[in-house]
Amino acid sequence: MEDGVQEFCALDGSGWSFAARPPKNARDRIMSAASFLFCNHGFTATGIDTIIARAGTAKATLYHHFSSKEDLIAAVLEAEGTTWREWFFGCLAEVKGPARTRMLAVFDVLELWFSDPGFYGCPFINAVAEFDTGNDAVRQAADKHKEHLITWFKANAIEMKAPDVTETARSIAILFDGAIVAAQHSRDPSFAQTAKRMAECYLDNCMGE
């Protein structure tokens, strides 16, 4: 594991989750409560009354800020995605070395994330799996989140002079998502290093090394 990644992310604690950050106002309290419950107990299974009870606010306050549960889910996904990406890319910004090193360090960051006691998987993967694939709001939120990652993978693939930039980015993304799902189901952070070794093999073959 990259020492710079471990040091930076360790200091950041649970900064990857919006729900772990102190709320600033009533809207944040509602979103923090909803985020924790949605991510740990499911989007469908979590009712408005449960969210209100955890947030310690009135139902009228919730509906003042969010017109529906679907509106609240969309806001939570946006907040969780933004918070996680700030943490994730912040960790990777500490990695020294060429693009290949940064690409493989992705899996070291994942391992740190998986090792956090509060790890509950990816809210976007969970939401897409839970809802009908025709749910446009959830699908769009997941697509937006994934596009940030794919763009980063592509940028590094270009710097590595990969023969097929798109295919390289997609291949790393598959290993990335697979590691998340495996770690969530097994509670075993070492799946990140398994995915890293597979990524090394892929890059060696892809780059003709």
Side-chain angles (χ1 to χ4, degrees), residues 18 25-35 38 48 51-52 55 57-80:
F18 176 84
N25 48 46
R27 185 178 189 275
D28 278 0
R29 285 201 305 276
I30 293 167
M31 286 186 58
S32 180
S35 180
F38 288 153
I48 291 297
I51 295 170
I52 291 169
T57 59
K59 184 174 289 189
T61 303
L62 186 149
Y63 283 113
H64 171 73
H65 293 286
F66 306 98
S67 61
S68 64
K69 181 180 175 181
E70 288 70 26
D71 186 28
L72 177 56
I73 289 172
V76 163
L77 289 174
E78 174 66 25
E80 284 293 340

PDB file of all heavy atoms in Angstrom, residues 18 25-35 38 48 51-52 55 57-80:
ATOM      1  N   PHE A  18     -20.837  11.663   3.835  1.00  0.00           N
ATOM      2  CA  PHE A  18     -21.567  12.867   4.241  1.00  0.00           C
ATOM      3  C   PHE A  18     -22.230  12.656   5.592  1.00  0.00           C
ATOM      4  O   PHE A  18     -22.264  13.562   6.430  1.00  0.00           O
ATOM      5  CB  PHE A  18     -22.625  13.214   3.183  1.00  0.00           C
ATOM      6  CG  PHE A  18     -23.494  14.386   3.562  1.00  0.00           C
ATOM      7  CD1 PHE A  18     -23.063  15.679   3.315  1.00  0.00           C
ATOM      8  CD2 PHE A  18     -24.731  14.194   4.173  1.00  0.00           C
ATOM      9  CE1 PHE A  18     -23.853  16.771   3.678  1.00  0.00           C
ATOM     10  CE2 PHE A  18     -25.514  15.270   4.538  1.00  0.00           C
ATOM     11  CZ  PHE A  18     -25.079  16.562   4.292  1.00  0.00           C
ATOM     12  N   ASN A  25     -27.146  22.458   9.793  1.00  0.00           N
ATOM     13  CA  ASN A  25     -28.492  23.019   9.946  1.00  0.00           C
ATOM     14  C   ASN A  25     -29.518  21.892   9.897  1.00  0.00           C
ATOM     15  O   ASN A  25     -29.161  20.709   9.813  1.00  0.00           O
ATOM     16  CB  ASN A  25     -28.758  24.045   8.837  1.00  0.00           C
ATOM     17  CG  ASN A  25     -28.374  23.515   7.459  1.00  0.00           C
ATOM     18  OD1 ASN A  25     -28.715  22.379   7.118  1.00  0.00           O
ATOM     19  ND2 ASN A  25     -27.666  24.316   6.676  1.00  0.00           N
ATOM     20  N   ALA A  26     -30.808  22.261   9.945  1.00  0.00           N
ATOM     21  CA  ALA A  26     -31.882  21.257   9.962  1.00  0.00           C
ATOM     22  C   ALA A  26     -31.885  20.413   8.688  1.00  0.00           C
ATOM     23  O   ALA A  26     -32.102  19.196   8.754  1.00  0.00           O
ATOM     24  CB  ALA A  26     -33.229  21.949  10.134  1.00  0.00           C
ATOM     25  N   ARG A  27     -31.615  21.038   7.555  1.00  0.00           N
ATOM     26  CA  ARG A  27     -31.586  20.286   6.291  1.00  0.00           C
ATOM     27  C   ARG A  27     -30.477  19.234   6.328  1.00  0.00           C
ATOM     28  O   ARG A  27     -30.682  18.090   5.919  1.00  0.00           O
ATOM     29  CB  ARG A  27     -31.377  21.234   5.111  1.00  0.00           C
ATOM     30  CG  ARG A  27     -31.467  20.548   3.743  1.00  0.00           C
ATOM     31  CD  ARG A  27     -31.296  21.571   2.616  1.00  0.00           C
ATOM     32  NE  ARG A  27     -31.586  20.982   1.313  1.00  0.00           N
ATOM     33  CZ  ARG A  27     -30.708  20.297   0.580  1.00  0.00           C
ATOM     34  NH1 ARG A  27     -29.478  20.106   1.044  1.00  0.00           N
ATOM     35  NH2 ARG A  27     -31.063  19.795  -0.588  1.00  0.00           N
ATOM     36  N   ASP A  28     -29.316  19.645   6.831  1.00  0.00           N
ATOM     37  CA  ASP A  28     -28.206  18.695   6.937  1.00  0.00           C
ATOM     38  C   ASP A  28     -28.526  17.561   7.907  1.00  0.00           C
ATOM     39  O   ASP A  28     -28.137  16.412   7.675  1.00  0.00           O
ATOM     40  CB  ASP A  28     -26.937  19.416   7.404  1.00  0.00           C
ATOM     41  CG  ASP A  28     -26.201  20.111   6.280  1.00  0.00           C
ATOM     42  OD1 ASP A  28     -26.675  20.039   5.129  1.00  0.00           O
ATOM     43  OD2 ASP A  28     -25.151  20.725   6.545  1.00  0.00           O
ATOM     44  N   ARG A  29     -29.218  17.863   8.998  1.00  0.00           N
ATOM     45  CA  ARG A  29     -29.574  16.821   9.965  1.00  0.00           C
ATOM     46  C   ARG A  29     -30.479  15.776   9.325  1.00  0.00           C
ATOM     47  O   ARG A  29     -30.327  14.579   9.546  1.00  0.00           O
ATOM     48  CB  ARG A  29     -30.267  17.424  11.191  1.00  0.00           C
ATOM     49  CG  ARG A  29     -29.338  18.144  12.138  1.00  0.00           C
ATOM     50  CD  ARG A  29     -29.930  18.277  13.528  1.00  0.00           C
ATOM     51  NE  ARG A  29     -31.235  18.921  13.541  1.00  0.00           N
ATOM     52  CZ  ARG A  29     -31.406  20.237  13.548  1.00  0.00           C
ATOM     53  NH1 ARG A  29     -30.353  21.046  13.537  1.00  0.00           N
ATOM     54  NH2 ARG A  29     -32.615  20.750  13.579  1.00  0.00           N
ATOM     55  N   ILE A  30     -31.421  16.259   8.521  1.00  0.00           N
ATOM     56  CA  ILE A  30     -32.325  15.341   7.829  1.00  0.00           C
ATOM     57  C   ILE A  30     -31.550  14.490   6.826  1.00  0.00           C
ATOM     58  O   ILE A  30     -31.702  13.266   6.769  1.00  0.00           O
ATOM     59  CB  ILE A  30     -33.442  16.122   7.113  1.00  0.00           C
ATOM     60  CG1 ILE A  30     -34.353  16.794   8.142  1.00  0.00           C
ATOM     61  CG2 ILE A  30     -34.257  15.201   6.202  1.00  0.00           C
ATOM     62  CD1 ILE A  30     -35.292  17.831   7.551  1.00  0.00           C
ATOM     63  N   MET A  31     -30.690  15.144   6.054  1.00  0.00           N
ATOM     64  CA  MET A  31     -29.923  14.410   5.046  1.00  0.00           C
ATOM     65  C   MET A  31     -28.945  13.438   5.689  1.00  0.00           C
ATOM     66  O   MET A  31     -28.754  12.323   5.192  1.00  0.00           O
ATOM     67  CB  MET A  31     -29.181  15.393   4.141  1.00  0.00           C
ATOM     68  CG  MET A  31     -30.077  16.108   3.159  1.00  0.00           C
ATOM     69  SD  MET A  31     -29.140  17.129   1.997  1.00  0.00           S
ATOM     70  CE  MET A  31     -28.065  15.926   1.236  1.00  0.00           C
ATOM     71  N   SER A  32     -28.323  13.839   6.785  1.00  0.00           N
ATOM     72  CA  SER A  32     -27.384  12.960   7.479  1.00  0.00           C
ATOM     73  C   SER A  32     -28.095  11.716   8.003  1.00  0.00           C
ATOM     74  O   SER A  32     -27.608  10.597   7.854  1.00  0.00           O
ATOM     75  CB  SER A  32     -26.716  13.722   8.628  1.00  0.00           C
ATOM     76  OG  SER A  32     -25.802  12.899   9.303  1.00  0.00           O
ATOM     77  N   ALA A  33     -29.258  11.941   8.613  1.00  0.00           N
ATOM     78  CA  ALA A  33     -30.039  10.810   9.126  1.00  0.00           C
ATOM     79  C   ALA A  33     -30.485   9.908   7.983  1.00  0.00           C
ATOM     80  O   ALA A  33     -30.384   8.676   8.064  1.00  0.00           O
ATOM     81  CB  ALA A  33     -31.248  11.331   9.896  1.00  0.00           C
ATOM     82  N   ALA A  34     -30.991  10.509   6.916  1.00  0.00           N
ATOM     83  CA  ALA A  34     -31.467   9.734   5.769  1.00  0.00           C
ATOM     84  C   ALA A  34     -30.322   8.962   5.122  1.00  0.00           C
ATOM     85  O   ALA A  34     -30.468   7.786   4.763  1.00  0.00           O
ATOM     86  CB  ALA A  34     -32.115  10.660   4.746  1.00  0.00           C
ATOM     87  N   SER A  35     -29.175   9.614   4.991  1.00  0.00           N
ATOM     88  CA  SER A  35     -28.030   8.961   4.374  1.00  0.00           C
ATOM     89  C   SER A  35     -27.599   7.729   5.162  1.00  0.00           C
ATOM     90  O   SER A  35     -27.382   6.658   4.597  1.00  0.00           O
ATOM     91  CB  SER A  35     -26.864   9.945   4.268  1.00  0.00           C
ATOM     92  OG  SER A  35     -25.755   9.326   3.671  1.00  0.00           O
ATOM     93  N   PHE A  38     -30.490   5.066   4.750  1.00  0.00           N
ATOM     94  CA  PHE A  38     -30.568   4.540   3.388  1.00  0.00           C
ATOM     95  C   PHE A  38     -29.390   3.603   3.101  1.00  0.00           C
ATOM     96  O   PHE A  38     -29.555   2.513   2.540  1.00  0.00           O
ATOM     97  CB  PHE A  38     -30.538   5.676   2.360  1.00  0.00           C
ATOM     98  CG  PHE A  38     -31.791   6.498   2.287  1.00  0.00           C
ATOM     99  CD1 PHE A  38     -31.743   7.828   1.860  1.00  0.00           C
ATOM    100  CD2 PHE A  38     -33.020   5.963   2.629  1.00  0.00           C
ATOM    101  CE1 PHE A  38     -32.891   8.586   1.774  1.00  0.00           C
ATOM    102  CE2 PHE A  38     -34.185   6.727   2.554  1.00  0.00           C
ATOM    103  CZ  PHE A  38     -34.122   8.055   2.117  1.00  0.00           C
ATOM    104  N   ILE A  48     -40.100   7.513   6.043  1.00  0.00           N
ATOM    105  CA  ILE A  48     -39.963   8.917   6.443  1.00  0.00           C
ATOM    106  C   ILE A  48     -39.990   9.069   7.958  1.00  0.00           C
ATOM    107  O   ILE A  48     -39.208   9.835   8.534  1.00  0.00           O
ATOM    108  CB  ILE A  48     -41.071   9.772   5.805  1.00  0.00           C
ATOM    109  CG1 ILE A  48     -40.880   9.876   4.284  1.00  0.00           C
ATOM    110  CG2 ILE A  48     -41.106  11.170   6.423  1.00  0.00           C
ATOM    111  CD1 ILE A  48     -39.599  10.572   3.862  1.00  0.00           C
ATOM    112  N   ILE A  51     -36.664   8.320   9.491  1.00  0.00           N
ATOM    113  CA  ILE A  51     -35.709   9.401   9.224  1.00  0.00           C
ATOM    114  C   ILE A  51     -35.956  10.569  10.166  1.00  0.00           C
ATOM    115  O   ILE A  51     -35.018  11.126  10.763  1.00  0.00           O
ATOM    116  CB  ILE A  51     -35.820   9.864   7.750  1.00  0.00           C
ATOM    117  CG1 ILE A  51     -35.399   8.735   6.811  1.00  0.00           C
ATOM    118  CG2 ILE A  51     -34.958  11.112   7.518  1.00  0.00           C
ATOM    119  CD1 ILE A  51     -35.705   9.003   5.354  1.00  0.00           C
ATOM    120  N   ILE A  52     -37.211  10.930  10.335  1.00  0.00           N
ATOM    121  CA  ILE A  52     -37.570  12.043  11.224  1.00  0.00           C
ATOM    122  C   ILE A  52     -37.135  11.757  12.652  1.00  0.00           C
ATOM    123  O   ILE A  52     -36.585  12.632  13.342  1.00  0.00           O
ATOM    124  CB  ILE A  52     -39.087  12.298  11.160  1.00  0.00           C
ATOM    125  CG1 ILE A  52     -39.471  12.875   9.791  1.00  0.00           C
ATOM    126  CG2 ILE A  52     -39.526  13.253  12.276  1.00  0.00           C
ATOM    127  CD1 ILE A  52     -40.953  12.912   9.550  1.00  0.00           C
ATOM    128  N   ALA A  55     -33.374  12.111  12.888  1.00  0.00           N
ATOM    129  CA  ALA A  55     -32.945  13.492  12.701  1.00  0.00           C
ATOM    130  C   ALA A  55     -33.397  14.399  13.843  1.00  0.00           C
ATOM    131  O   ALA A  55     -32.803  15.461  14.073  1.00  0.00           O
ATOM    132  CB  ALA A  55     -33.474  14.028  11.378  1.00  0.00           C
ATOM    133  N   THR A  57     -36.327  15.954  13.983  1.00  0.00           N
ATOM    134  CA  THR A  57     -37.039  17.096  13.415  1.00  0.00           C
ATOM    135  C   THR A  57     -38.504  16.723  13.170  1.00  0.00           C
ATOM    136  O   THR A  57     -38.878  15.553  13.255  1.00  0.00           O
ATOM    137  CB  THR A  57     -36.414  17.524  12.072  1.00  0.00           C
ATOM    138  OG1 THR A  57     -36.463  16.416  11.161  1.00  0.00           O
ATOM    139  CG2 THR A  57     -34.982  17.963  12.252  1.00  0.00           C
ATOM    140  N   ALA A  58     -39.297  17.710  12.868  1.00  0.00           N
ATOM    141  CA  ALA A  58     -40.713  17.475  12.582  1.00  0.00           C
ATOM    142  C   ALA A  58     -40.897  17.072  11.118  1.00  0.00           C
ATOM    143  O   ALA A  58     -40.066  17.399  10.265  1.00  0.00           O
ATOM    144  CB  ALA A  58     -41.524  18.732  12.877  1.00  0.00           C
ATOM    145  N   LYS A  59     -41.993  16.379  10.848  1.00  0.00           N
ATOM    146  CA  LYS A  59     -42.274  15.975   9.470  1.00  0.00           C
ATOM    147  C   LYS A  59     -42.414  17.195   8.567  1.00  0.00           C
ATOM    148  O   LYS A  59     -41.979  17.186   7.409  1.00  0.00           O
ATOM    149  CB  LYS A  59     -43.544  15.126   9.425  1.00  0.00           C
ATOM    150  CG  LYS A  59     -43.862  14.585   8.030  1.00  0.00           C
ATOM    151  CD  LYS A  59     -45.054  13.632   8.046  1.00  0.00           C
ATOM    152  CE  LYS A  59     -44.705  12.323   8.712  1.00  0.00           C
ATOM    153  NZ  LYS A  59     -45.788  11.308   8.536  1.00  0.00           N
ATOM    154  N   ALA A  60     -43.022  18.255   9.128  1.00  0.00           N
ATOM    155  CA  ALA A  60     -43.194  19.481   8.341  1.00  0.00           C
ATOM    156  C   ALA A  60     -41.842  20.071   7.924  1.00  0.00           C
ATOM    157  O   ALA A  60     -41.710  20.633   6.825  1.00  0.00           O
ATOM    158  CB  ALA A  60     -43.972  20.506   9.149  1.00  0.00           C
ATOM    159  N   THR A  61     -40.852  19.934   8.780  1.00  0.00           N
ATOM    160  CA  THR A  61     -39.516  20.444   8.462  1.00  0.00           C
ATOM    161  C   THR A  61     -38.917  19.658   7.305  1.00  0.00           C
ATOM    162  O   THR A  61     -38.299  20.235   6.398  1.00  0.00           O
ATOM    163  CB  THR A  61     -38.583  20.335   9.688  1.00  0.00           C
ATOM    164  OG1 THR A  61     -39.167  21.041  10.782  1.00  0.00           O
ATOM    165  CG2 THR A  61     -37.210  20.919   9.388  1.00  0.00           C
ATOM    166  N   LEU A  62     -39.092  18.343   7.339  1.00  0.00           N
ATOM    167  CA  LEU A  62     -38.576  17.524   6.244  1.00  0.00           C
ATOM    168  C   LEU A  62     -39.212  17.932   4.917  1.00  0.00           C
ATOM    169  O   LEU A  62     -38.508  18.127   3.916  1.00  0.00           O
ATOM    170  CB  LEU A  62     -38.827  16.046   6.525  1.00  0.00           C
ATOM    171  CG  LEU A  62     -38.214  15.048   5.527  1.00  0.00           C
ATOM    172  CD1 LEU A  62     -37.844  13.741   6.227  1.00  0.00           C
ATOM    173  CD2 LEU A  62     -39.181  14.733   4.381  1.00  0.00           C
ATOM    174  N   TYR A  63     -40.530  18.059   4.918  1.00  0.00           N
ATOM    175  CA  TYR A  63     -41.216  18.381   3.663  1.00  0.00           C
ATOM    176  C   TYR A  63     -41.029  19.837   3.256  1.00  0.00           C
ATOM    177  O   TYR A  63     -41.305  20.204   2.104  1.00  0.00           O
ATOM    178  CB  TYR A  63     -42.697  18.019   3.765  1.00  0.00           C
ATOM    179  CG  TYR A  63     -42.915  16.526   3.630  1.00  0.00           C
ATOM    180  CD1 TYR A  63     -43.377  15.766   4.692  1.00  0.00           C
ATOM    181  CD2 TYR A  63     -42.620  15.870   2.433  1.00  0.00           C
ATOM    182  CE1 TYR A  63     -43.557  14.391   4.579  1.00  0.00           C
ATOM    183  CE2 TYR A  63     -42.790  14.505   2.305  1.00  0.00           C
ATOM    184  CZ  TYR A  63     -43.263  13.771   3.375  1.00  0.00           C
ATOM    185  OH  TYR A  63     -43.419  12.405   3.247  1.00  0.00           O
ATOM    186  N   HIS A  64     -40.570  20.670   4.185  1.00  0.00           N
ATOM    187  CA  HIS A  64     -40.212  22.041   3.815  1.00  0.00           C
ATOM    188  C   HIS A  64     -38.972  22.036   2.920  1.00  0.00           C
ATOM    189  O   HIS A  64     -38.850  22.868   2.011  1.00  0.00           O
ATOM    190  CB  HIS A  64     -39.940  22.873   5.079  1.00  0.00           C
ATOM    191  CG  HIS A  64     -39.369  24.225   4.803  1.00  0.00           C
ATOM    192  ND1 HIS A  64     -40.127  25.250   4.270  1.00  0.00           N
ATOM    193  CD2 HIS A  64     -38.094  24.726   4.954  1.00  0.00           C
ATOM    194  CE1 HIS A  64     -39.366  26.323   4.116  1.00  0.00           C
ATOM    195  NE2 HIS A  64     -38.135  26.034   4.532  1.00  0.00           N
ATOM    196  N   HIS A  65     -38.067  21.096   3.179  1.00  0.00           N
ATOM    197  CA  HIS A  65     -36.814  21.026   2.430  1.00  0.00           C
ATOM    198  C   HIS A  65     -36.867  20.048   1.262  1.00  0.00           C
ATOM    199  O   HIS A  65     -36.150  20.232   0.268  1.00  0.00           O
ATOM    200  CB  HIS A  65     -35.673  20.633   3.363  1.00  0.00           C
ATOM    201  CG  HIS A  65     -35.343  21.666   4.391  1.00  0.00           C
ATOM    202  ND1 HIS A  65     -34.677  22.829   4.098  1.00  0.00           N
ATOM    203  CD2 HIS A  65     -35.601  21.708   5.736  1.00  0.00           C
ATOM    204  CE1 HIS A  65     -34.520  23.552   5.197  1.00  0.00           C
ATOM    205  NE2 HIS A  65     -35.063  22.899   6.202  1.00  0.00           N
ATOM    206  N   PHE A  66     -37.701  19.017   1.378  1.00  0.00           N
ATOM    207  CA  PHE A  66     -37.759  17.976   0.338  1.00  0.00           C
ATOM    208  C   PHE A  66     -39.214  17.683   0.010  1.00  0.00           C
ATOM    209  O   PHE A  66     -40.011  17.381   0.897  1.00  0.00           O
ATOM    210  CB  PHE A  66     -37.040  16.710   0.810  1.00  0.00           C
ATOM    211  CG  PHE A  66     -35.626  16.954   1.264  1.00  0.00           C
ATOM    212  CD1 PHE A  66     -35.332  17.099   2.615  1.00  0.00           C
ATOM    213  CD2 PHE A  66     -34.597  17.073   0.337  1.00  0.00           C
ATOM    214  CE1 PHE A  66     -34.035  17.344   3.037  1.00  0.00           C
ATOM    215  CE2 PHE A  66     -33.303  17.319   0.751  1.00  0.00           C
ATOM    216  CZ  PHE A  66     -33.015  17.458   2.104  1.00  0.00           C
ATOM    217  N   SER A  67     -39.558  17.738  -1.259  1.00  0.00           N
ATOM    218  CA  SER A  67     -40.956  17.577  -1.662  1.00  0.00           C
ATOM    219  C   SER A  67     -41.441  16.139  -1.547  1.00  0.00           C
ATOM    220  O   SER A  67     -42.636  15.885  -1.470  1.00  0.00           O
ATOM    221  CB  SER A  67     -41.134  18.062  -3.102  1.00  0.00           C
ATOM    222  OG  SER A  67     -40.329  17.298  -3.995  1.00  0.00           O
ATOM    223  N   SER A  68     -40.519  15.178  -1.539  1.00  0.00           N
ATOM    224  CA  SER A  68     -40.892  13.765  -1.492  1.00  0.00           C
ATOM    225  C   SER A  68     -39.698  12.939  -1.021  1.00  0.00           C
ATOM    226  O   SER A  68     -38.568  13.442  -0.946  1.00  0.00           O
ATOM    227  CB  SER A  68     -41.330  13.280  -2.876  1.00  0.00           C
ATOM    228  OG  SER A  68     -40.243  13.356  -3.787  1.00  0.00           O
ATOM    229  N   LYS A  69     -39.941  11.672  -0.754  1.00  0.00           N
ATOM    230  CA  LYS A  69     -38.843  10.771  -0.399  1.00  0.00           C
ATOM    231  C   LYS A  69     -37.883  10.628  -1.571  1.00  0.00           C
ATOM    232  O   LYS A  69     -36.660  10.551  -1.383  1.00  0.00           O
ATOM    233  CB  LYS A  69     -39.398   9.398   0.000  1.00  0.00           C
ATOM    234  CG  LYS A  69     -38.322   8.405   0.408  1.00  0.00           C
ATOM    235  CD  LYS A  69     -38.909   7.060   0.807  1.00  0.00           C
ATOM    236  CE  LYS A  69     -37.816   6.038   1.101  1.00  0.00           C
ATOM    237  NZ  LYS A  69     -38.363   4.711   1.463  1.00  0.00           N
ATOM    238  N   GLU A  70     -38.419  10.607  -2.792  1.00  0.00           N
ATOM    239  CA  GLU A  70     -37.576  10.491  -3.974  1.00  0.00           C
ATOM    240  C   GLU A  70     -36.642  11.695  -4.093  1.00  0.00           C
ATOM    241  O   GLU A  70     -35.473  11.558  -4.478  1.00  0.00           O
ATOM    242  CB  GLU A  70     -38.447  10.374  -5.233  1.00  0.00           C
ATOM    243  CG  GLU A  70     -39.169   9.056  -5.390  1.00  0.00           C
ATOM    244  CD  GLU A  70     -40.291   8.845  -4.373  1.00  0.00           C
ATOM    245  OE1 GLU A  70     -40.838   9.872  -3.876  1.00  0.00           O
ATOM    246  OE2 GLU A  70     -40.616   7.684  -4.071  1.00  0.00           O
ATOM    247  N   ASP A  71     -37.153  12.878  -3.757  1.00  0.00           N
ATOM    248  CA  ASP A  71     -36.348  14.097  -3.769  1.00  0.00           C
ATOM    249  C   ASP A  71     -35.231  13.999  -2.735  1.00  0.00           C
ATOM    250  O   ASP A  71     -34.085  14.396  -2.986  1.00  0.00           O
ATOM    251  CB  ASP A  71     -37.254  15.296  -3.469  1.00  0.00           C
ATOM    252  CG  ASP A  71     -36.525  16.624  -3.610  1.00  0.00           C
ATOM    253  OD1 ASP A  71     -35.571  16.704  -4.391  1.00  0.00           O
ATOM    254  OD2 ASP A  71     -36.925  17.596  -2.926  1.00  0.00           O
ATOM    255  N   LEU A  72     -35.548  13.452  -1.575  1.00  0.00           N
ATOM    256  CA  LEU A  72     -34.560  13.275  -0.514  1.00  0.00           C
ATOM    257  C   LEU A  72     -33.495  12.266  -0.932  1.00  0.00           C
ATOM    258  O   LEU A  72     -32.301  12.474  -0.696  1.00  0.00           O
ATOM    259  CB  LEU A  72     -35.253  12.820   0.769  1.00  0.00           C
ATOM    260  CG  LEU A  72     -34.365  12.519   1.985  1.00  0.00           C
ATOM    261  CD1 LEU A  72     -33.502  13.722   2.343  1.00  0.00           C
ATOM    262  CD2 LEU A  72     -35.238  12.107   3.167  1.00  0.00           C
ATOM    263  N   ILE A  73     -33.906  11.178  -1.567  1.00  0.00           N
ATOM    264  CA  ILE A  73     -32.948  10.170  -2.039  1.00  0.00           C
ATOM    265  C   ILE A  73     -31.970  10.796  -3.034  1.00  0.00           C
ATOM    266  O   ILE A  73     -30.756  10.578  -2.956  1.00  0.00           O
ATOM    267  CB  ILE A  73     -33.681   8.976  -2.679  1.00  0.00           C
ATOM    268  CG1 ILE A  73     -34.388   8.153  -1.605  1.00  0.00           C
ATOM    269  CG2 ILE A  73     -32.702   8.105  -3.476  1.00  0.00           C
ATOM    270  CD1 ILE A  73     -35.290   7.066  -2.153  1.00  0.00           C
ATOM    271  N   ALA A  74     -32.496  11.591  -3.966  1.00  0.00           N
ATOM    272  CA  ALA A  74     -31.637  12.234  -4.961  1.00  0.00           C
ATOM    273  C   ALA A  74     -30.632  13.170  -4.291  1.00  0.00           C
ATOM    274  O   ALA A  74     -29.455  13.207  -4.667  1.00  0.00           O
ATOM    275  CB  ALA A  74     -32.489  13.001  -5.961  1.00  0.00           C
ATOM    276  N   ALA A  75     -31.095  13.915  -3.272  1.00  0.00           N
ATOM    277  CA  ALA A  75     -30.207  14.838  -2.564  1.00  0.00           C
ATOM    278  C   ALA A  75     -29.129  14.088  -1.796  1.00  0.00           C
ATOM    279  O   ALA A  75     -27.965  14.506  -1.753  1.00  0.00           O
ATOM    280  CB  ALA A  75     -31.026  15.718  -1.617  1.00  0.00           C
ATOM    281  N   VAL A  76     -29.508  12.977  -1.186  1.00  0.00           N
ATOM    282  CA  VAL A  76     -28.549  12.160  -0.435  1.00  0.00           C
ATOM    283  C   VAL A  76     -27.483  11.583  -1.373  1.00  0.00           C
ATOM    284  O   VAL A  76     -26.285  11.618  -1.072  1.00  0.00           O
ATOM    285  CB  VAL A  76     -29.267  11.033   0.331  1.00  0.00           C
ATOM    286  CG1 VAL A  76     -28.289   9.952   0.761  1.00  0.00           C
ATOM    287  CG2 VAL A  76     -29.989  11.599   1.543  1.00  0.00           C
ATOM    288  N   LEU A  77     -27.902  11.059  -2.495  1.00  0.00           N
ATOM    289  CA  LEU A  77     -26.942  10.498  -3.448  1.00  0.00           C
ATOM    290  C   LEU A  77     -25.971  11.570  -3.948  1.00  0.00           C
ATOM    291  O   LEU A  77     -24.766  11.323  -4.075  1.00  0.00           O
ATOM    292  CB  LEU A  77     -27.671   9.852  -4.629  1.00  0.00           C
ATOM    293  CG  LEU A  77     -28.406   8.544  -4.319  1.00  0.00           C
ATOM    294  CD1 LEU A  77     -29.201   8.083  -5.546  1.00  0.00           C
ATOM    295  CD2 LEU A  77     -27.423   7.452  -3.887  1.00  0.00           C
ATOM    296  N   GLU A  78     -26.489  12.755  -4.207  1.00  0.00           N
ATOM    297  CA  GLU A  78     -25.631  13.852  -4.653  1.00  0.00           C
ATOM    298  C   GLU A  78     -24.605  14.216  -3.571  1.00  0.00           C
ATOM    299  O   GLU A  78     -23.412  14.372  -3.849  1.00  0.00           O
ATOM    300  CB  GLU A  78     -26.484  15.078  -4.987  1.00  0.00           C
ATOM    301  CG  GLU A  78     -25.694  16.331  -5.334  1.00  0.00           C
ATOM    302  CD  GLU A  78     -24.895  16.217  -6.618  1.00  0.00           C
ATOM    303  OE1 GLU A  78     -25.269  15.400  -7.488  1.00  0.00           O
ATOM    304  OE2 GLU A  78     -23.891  16.951  -6.750  1.00  0.00           O
ATOM    305  N   ALA A  79     -25.078  14.329  -2.320  1.00  0.00           N
ATOM    306  CA  ALA A  79     -24.191  14.708  -1.221  1.00  0.00           C
ATOM    307  C   ALA A  79     -23.157  13.626  -0.933  1.00  0.00           C
ATOM    308  O   ALA A  79     -21.971  13.920  -0.727  1.00  0.00           O
ATOM    309  CB  ALA A  79     -25.013  14.997   0.036  1.00  0.00           C
ATOM    310  N   GLU A  80     -23.602  12.379  -0.916  1.00  0.00           N
ATOM    311  CA  GLU A  80     -22.669  11.282  -0.648  1.00  0.00           C
ATOM    312  C   GLU A  80     -21.637  11.154  -1.773  1.00  0.00           C
ATOM    313  O   GLU A  80     -20.455  10.909  -1.524  1.00  0.00           O
ATOM    314  CB  GLU A  80     -23.415   9.969  -0.463  1.00  0.00           C
ATOM    315  CG  GLU A  80     -24.103   9.825   0.890  1.00  0.00           C
ATOM    316  CD  GLU A  80     -23.113   9.723   2.045  1.00  0.00           C
ATOM    317  OE1 GLU A  80     -21.945   9.385   1.824  1.00  0.00           O
ATOM    318  OE2 GLU A  80     -23.533   9.996   3.186  1.00  0.00           O
TER     319      GLU A  80
END
